[in-house]
Amino acid sequence: MQELRTRFGTLVAANRRRLGITQEELSSRAEVSVDMISRIEAGATGARFTTIDKLARALLVDPAELFTPDLPEGALQRRQLTSVVSRLAKLSDKDLLWVDEVLKAVLKHR
């Protein structure tokens, strides 16, 4: 169960960052307390279906996307992506900007 909570929290955080919003902004959009958002993203708690639905709507994703980053049938396995997203979700905004710049520089030459 802890692995599922961690994955859920990681994907909530990743989708929040994708939108460029803070935990406070997500809290307001989803009508869920900031403390709950923080605990969910840390994997410290799960969420009821109503909360999952509120978060998915606020993050503009299907609720299922908060549990699995898998692509449609025939796509590459996403274990490496899940691992990378888990690590990135723990970084500060400043560190994420740095990683983004590094990726741009590396991928520019491909």
Side-chain angles (χ1 to χ4, degrees):
M1 186 61 84
Q2 182 58 45
E3 182 181 330
L4 182 59
R5 276 188 222 141
T6 300
R7 182 182 318 156
F8 176 68
T10 297
L11 292 170
V12 167
N15 278 285
R16 177 179 59 76
R17 286 191 175 108
R18 174 185 55 81
L19 292 176
I21 62 174
T22 64
Q23 287 184 343
E24 291 78 14
E25 290 170 310
L26 178 57
S27 168
S28 177
R29 289 182 184 195
E31 299 176 345
V32 175
S33 73
V34 176
D35 180 60
M36 177 63 105
I37 301 291
S38 178
R39 289 185 294 139
I40 287 171
E41 288 189 2
T45 189
R48 295 177 183 225
F49 288 123
T50 54
T51 302
I52 293 167
D53 184 57
K54 288 178 180 182
L55 289 169
R57 288 175 190 267
L59 295 167
L60 308 173
V61 298
D62 184 280
E65 292 180 51
L66 298 176
F67 293 94
T68 178
D70 291 339
L71 288 174
E73 186 177 325
L76 295 173
Q77 291 295 318
R78 304 289 296 234
R79 280 196 183 149
Q80 293 81 9
L81 179 60
T82 301
S83 175
V84 170
V85 168
S86 294
R87 284 186 251 150
L88 290 174
K90 296 174 185 172
L91 296 178
S92 69
D93 289 344
K94 180 181 175 184
D95 288 341
L96 282 172
L97 289 171
W98 179 82
V99 169
D100 186 48
E101 291 302 316
V102 169
L103 281 172
K104 285 178 190 173
V106 168
L107 297 175
K108 181 179 181 180
H109 302 290
R110 290 188 107 213

